[in-house]
C-alpha cells in the first residue's frame, strides 16, 4: 500500500480530497504552504485540526518568496470590496506548479531516505469556463510528465481525485464522506469568512444552490 | 526585445550560459537559490561578481526546505572522501524542477506587474550516459509544456542554451566568450575547491583533457 502526501490548505476542496483518499493509502502527510497569504493563520489552524482527525502528519513549508512576488489580492493588504470575482485578482503566479513540484521533491526525498513511496494528492476541481489555468486535467497530466523526467527513478504520481467534480459535486461528496465543513476555511482573507472574496462567493453560491446550510459560513 | 531570468549558481556552466545569451536580451536578472547548500557563500560571492560584470540584477531566493529534505552530500556536513562520483550522492530531489518552476512564477509575476516578458535561462548541459535526470532535452521540453498549462497566459519559455554541449564544449565556448573562469565556483563544498566532489572531478578532468589551465582550480 502506498502513502500519500496531501496538499492541504484547510479549505473545503483539499479537505474533501483528503477524506476521499484517506482509506486508499497507508501513511498520510499533510503539506501546508505558508506563502504569506493573508489567511495563513486560519488555514493552518483548520489544516492542523483535520490532520489530527485523519491521523495525518502536519508539515508546514515556507515559500515566502512566492508571496513576495505574488500580485494576488490574497497576498496584499487592504479592504476587499464586492464584485471581486475576476480570477486575475486572486491568481498567485504558477502557484499549483510551485506547490506540486515541492511536493514531488518531498516524495522523492521520502523514497531516497526511507524507501517509502508516496503519491501526491491535490484537491483541484472542475472550475468551469472561468477557471484558474492550473486546475485542469491537462495541467495534472503535464505535471505528471514532468515528474517522470525530473526525478531520478521517475516513479511518482500526482493524483487529483476531484478533477471531474464542480463545486456543488464536491460539497455533495463531502456530505457523503461526513467532512466537517464547519472546520474548513475557504476565505482568502484573515478574520473571515469575509463573504466578498472569490472563494467566499463561490462557496456561498454552491451551498445555496444545494440548499445545504454552511454553518461556518453563515454570513 | 525580451528579457532574461538566468538561473545562476556562480558555477562554470550557468555563468557560461549567461555569457552566451547576454546580448540576446534586454534586462538580465540573476536568480540565485539558497537551499542550504554547503557552498552557498562561495556561490553567492561568485554569482554577485558575475552579475556586476554583466549588469544583471542579483536576486536571492530562499528555499531552505529543499535543503532540509535533501539527501545529497552537498547538503550534509562531513568530510568528502575520494571516489564519490556516484551521482546519487549529489542528487537534490527534483532540484531543477523546483528551481525552474520558481523562475517561471517570477517571470509571470514580472509580466503581471510590469508587462515585461522574460525567458528563463538554465545552464544545464549534456552530461553523457551518467547524467542527473533533470538535465536532458526531454526534461526541458516537459517544463515548457507545464509552463504553458500552469500560467495564466501560457506564454513563458525555458531556454537551455548549453543543452547540446558536453563539459569540454562548454569550456571551449566559455573561452571564446571570455568567461572569467577564475571567478566561477563549481565545488559542492565550502572553503573549496575540494578536488574530490563530483563537480570538482568533472571540472578538473575536462580542463585536463583540453590542456587548458584552470587557475581557480589549481589543486
Amino acid at each position: 500500500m502506498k502513502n500519500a502526501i496531501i496538499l492541504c490548505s484547510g479549505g473545503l476542496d483539499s479537505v474533501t480530497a483528503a477524506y476521499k483518499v484517506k482509506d486508499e493509502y497507508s501513511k498520510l502527510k499533510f503539506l501546508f504552504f505558508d506563502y504569506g497569504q493573508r489567511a495563513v493563520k486560519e488555514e493552518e489552524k483548520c489544516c492542523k485540526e483535520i490532520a489530527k482527525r485523519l491521523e495525518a502528519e502536519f508539515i508546514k513549508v515556507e515559500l515566502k518568496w512566492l508571496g513576495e512576488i505574488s500580485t494576488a489580492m490574497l497576498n496584499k493588504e487592504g479592504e476587499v470590496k464586492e464584485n471581486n470575482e475576476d480570477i486575475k485578482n486572486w491568481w498567485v503566479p504558477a502557484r499549483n506548479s510551485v506547490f506540486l513540484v515541492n511536493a514531488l521533491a518531498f516524495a522523492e526525498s521520502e523514497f531516497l531516505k526511507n524507501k517509502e513511496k508516496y503519491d501526491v494528492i491535490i484537491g483541484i476541481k472542475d472550475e468551469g469556463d472561468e477557471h484558474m489555468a492550473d486546475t485542469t486535467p491537462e495541467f495534472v497530466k503535464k505535471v505528471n510528465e514532468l515528474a517522470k523526467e525530473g526525478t531520478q527513478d521517475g516513479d511518482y504520481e500526482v493524483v487529483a481525485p476531484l478533477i471531474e467534480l464542480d463545486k456543488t459535486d464536491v460539497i455533495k461528496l463531502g456530505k457523503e464522506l461526513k467532512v466537517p465543513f464547519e472546520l474548513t476555511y475557504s476565505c482568502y482573507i484573515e478574520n473571515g469568512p469575509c463573504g466578498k472574496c472569490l472563494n467566499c462567493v463561490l462557496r456561498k453560491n454552491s451551498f445555496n444552490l444545494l440548499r445545504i446550510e454552511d454553518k461556518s459560513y453563515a454570513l
Side-chain angles (χ1 to χ4, degrees), chain A:
Chain A
M1 204 175 195
K2 280 210 277 191
N3 308 292
I5 292 164
I6 301 174
L7 306 199
C8 188
S9 67
L12 195 152
D13 299 338
S14 61
V15 170
T16 302
Y19 271 75
K20 183 164 194 298
V21 303
K22 66 183 168 56
D23 298 327
E24 297 167 31
Y25 292 98
S26 180
K27 289 187 198 172
L28 305 179
K29 289 182 195 282
F30 276 17
L31 217 51
F32 176 81
F33 294 101
D34 176 356
Y35 55 104
Q37 68 272 43
R38 291 176 60 163
V40 66
K41 274 191 195 163
E42 288 81 358
E43 289 183 2
E44 184 174 343
K45 191 179 157 211
C46 292
C47 187
K48 277 183 172 164
E49 182 59 38
I50 301 292
K52 204 187 290 175
R53 294 199 177 200
L54 299 189
E55 295 176 17
E57 185 183 352
F58 173 87
I59 297 157
K60 183 175 173 176
V61 181
E62 288 214 350
L63 298 175
K64 295 283 188 194
W65 191 64
L66 184 62
E68 286 165 26
I69 64 171
S70 173
T71 50
M73 290 179 70
L74 62 96
N75 289 109
K76 280 186 222 153
E77 293 193 18
E79 197 197 342
V80 175
K81 295 183 184 141
E82 303 280 351
N83 303 316
N84 261 310
E85 284 108 273
D86 186 343
I87 56 172
K88 283 199 293 292
N89 291 335
W90 305 102
W91 171 257
V92 177
R95 180 172 59 180
N96 284 341
S97 301
V98 174
F99 288 176
L100 285 171
V101 165
N102 272 284
L104 286 166
F106 186 43
E108 188 173 25
S109 164
E110 285 297 311
F111 178 67
L112 294 173
K113 278 183 189 163
N114 308 318
K115 299 284 165 240
E116 290 177 346
K117 277 284 177 183
Y118 282 82
D119 281 351
V120 173
I121 315 296
I122 183 166
I124 52 179
K125 62 183 186 305
D126 179 355
E127 295 189 354
D129 291 340
E130 284 280 315
H131 64 85
M132 304 255 183
D134 54 3
T135 58
T136 66
E138 188 64 16
F139 168 73
V140 176
K141 185 173 165 239
K142 291 303 172 190
V143 176
N144 274 314
E145 288 176 13
L146 178 64
K148 288 214 188 328
E149 296 297 327
T151 55
Q152 276 303 79
D153 74 357
D155 184 27
Y156 302 92
E157 198 181 353
V158 171
V159 179
L162 311 181
I163 196 79
E164 304 287 346
L165 309 182
D166 68 16
K167 190 82 181 176
T168 54
D169 295 331
V170 172
I171 295 169
K172 280 189 273 185
L173 175 65
K175 212 163 181 271
E176 278 171 39
L177 297 169
K178 301 194 194 317
V179 171
F181 292 140
E182 70 282 5
L183 296 179
T184 64
Y185 190 83
S186 299
C187 178
Y188 279 137
I189 311 298
E190 69 281 6
N191 304 319
C194 73
K196 296 173 188 168
C197 73
L198 177 64
N199 265 2
C200 275
V201 171
L202 295 175
R203 178 168 174 152
K204 201 163 48 178
N205 290 350
S206 299
F207 272 91
N208 286 346
L209 207 65
L210 291 167
R211 297 172 185 272
I212 296 176
E213 191 193 359
D214 187 7
K215 285 176 199 162
S216 64
Y217 273 65
L219 295 164

